[in-house]
């Protein structure tokens, strides 16, 4: 089912560009995960993994698009599906999560979060 | 030359992504509150999709792409449902 294509005939510029994009994407994802582990409160931590969900997976998707387009000598664009999906869903999930956390903190009478206005 | 370069960079990026996944899993286990665990679980989903994409570049097949798409979809549904549960599901107070 998984056919292994010989990658030796890919030109050097495409290999360099793909490698660079892969390293940038995975490095940013790693930085986001370190931030998720190291930052102090939940409201600071909620920012860190978005490095991985925007530029991290975006760079890897661009690298995949470039690699398969060069390898098959035709534009391969189905990675745009994942990119569009991540762009739409990440703000929704994190907004829902942050609002739930705010609700829970307010309900417990936590002093660190701002009180409800009005 | 280009195959060697690609092989090494895919190897290094997979190590980075695996390390990121381990860090997020530590936050899932250690996270002081439920919202921390949900956030870290969402991060694990995204990193798994990215890791599957790098596997797809390594093997040259399109099967991994579909798996990454399904993982991204299920991650969104799971995180949205858990956030909704945290908002409404406090039965015992």
């Amino acid at each position: 089912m998984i056919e292994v294509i010989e990658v030796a005939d890919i030109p050097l510029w495409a290999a360099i560009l793909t490698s660079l994009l892969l390293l940038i994407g995975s490095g940013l994802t790693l930085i986001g995960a370190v931030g998720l582990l190291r930052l102090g409160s939940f409201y600071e931590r909620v920012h860190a993994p978005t490095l991985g969900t925007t530029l991290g997976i975006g760079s890897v998707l661009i690298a995949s698009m470039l690699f398969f387009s060069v390898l098959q000598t035709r534009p391969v664009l189905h990675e745009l599906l994942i990119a569009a999906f991540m762009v739409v869903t990440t703000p929704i999930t994190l907004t829902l999560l942050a609002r739930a956390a705010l609700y829970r903190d307010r309900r417990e009478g936590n002093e660190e979060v701002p009180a409800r206005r009005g | 030359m280009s195959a060697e370069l690609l092989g090494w960079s895919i190897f290094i990026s997979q190590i980075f992504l695996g390390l990121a996944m381990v860090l997020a899993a530590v936050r899932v286990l250690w996270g002081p509150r439920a919202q921390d665990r949900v956030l870290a679980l969402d991060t694990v989903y995204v990193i798994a999709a990215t890791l599957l994409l790098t596997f797809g570049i390594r093997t040259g097949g399109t099967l991994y792409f579909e798996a990454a798409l399904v993982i991204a979809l299920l991650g969104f549904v799971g995180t949205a449902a858990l956030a909704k549960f945290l908002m409404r599901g406090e039965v015992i107070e």
Side-chain angles (χ1 to χ4, degrees):
Chain A
M1 194 66 199
I2 301 168
E3 71 272 26
V4 177
I5 300 173
E6 190 60 46
V7 297
D9 50 354
I10 190 170
L12 188 60
W13 63 269
I16 290 174
L17 215 54
T18 306
S19 308
L20 213 60
L21 283 167
L22 273 175
L23 289 179
I24 288 173
S26 56
L28 280 172
T29 309
L30 181 60
I31 292 171
V34 169
L36 178 72
L37 197 62
R38 290 292 307 273
L39 286 176
S41 74
F42 173 77
Y43 302 102
E44 293 166 8
R45 279 197 284 273
V46 82
H47 295 285
T50 52
L51 269 183
T53 55
T54 52
L55 260 182
I57 198 167
S59 296
V60 176
L61 285 169
I62 292 173
S64 177
M65 275 186 347
L66 180 72
F67 178 75
F68 284 111
S69 298
V70 171
L71 199 64
Q72 302 179 6
T73 60
R74 66 185 176 89
V76 177
L77 295 177
H78 56 220
E79 278 86 355
L80 283 178
L81 210 59
I82 293 184
F85 192 76
M86 294 307 284
V87 165
V88 171
T89 58
T90 305
I92 298 175
T93 54
L94 291 187
T95 306
L96 278 176
L97 200 59
R99 289 180 69 174
L102 199 57
Y103 172 77
R104 281 162 66 93
D105 274 342
R106 277 177 181 155
R107 180 157 219 175
E108 290 173 1
N110 196 338
E111 300 285 327
E112 294 176 4
V113 297
R116 179 181 288 277
R117 273 181 293 174
Chain B
M1 177 64 193
S2 56
E4 252 179 57
L5 182 67
L6 261 180
W8 274 104
S9 62
I10 289 173
F11 180 67
I12 293 170
S13 61
Q14 280 176 346
I15 285 180
F16 278 3
L17 289 171
L19 210 60
M21 207 177 217
V22 167
L23 294 180
V26 168
R27 181 52 87 183
V28 171
L29 293 175
W30 185 32
R33 306 201 60 201
Q35 52 259 38
D36 294 300
R37 295 176 206 266
V38 175
L39 176 65
L41 193 66
D42 186 58
T43 312
V44 169
Y45 267 109
V46 172
I47 295 171
T50 316
L51 197 55
L52 277 175
L53 286 171
T54 59
F55 274 113
I57 295 176
R58 160 165 279 177
T59 59
T62 57
L63 201 60
Y64 286 108
F65 162 77
E66 290 153 20
L69 188 62
V70 169
I71 282 185
L73 238 153
L74 290 183
F76 165 65
V77 174
T79 312
L82 280 172
K84 204 70 189 165
F85 173 73
L86 290 184
M87 194 84 173
R88 303 273 179 214
E90 296 214 342
V91 184
I92 303 168
E93 295 183 10

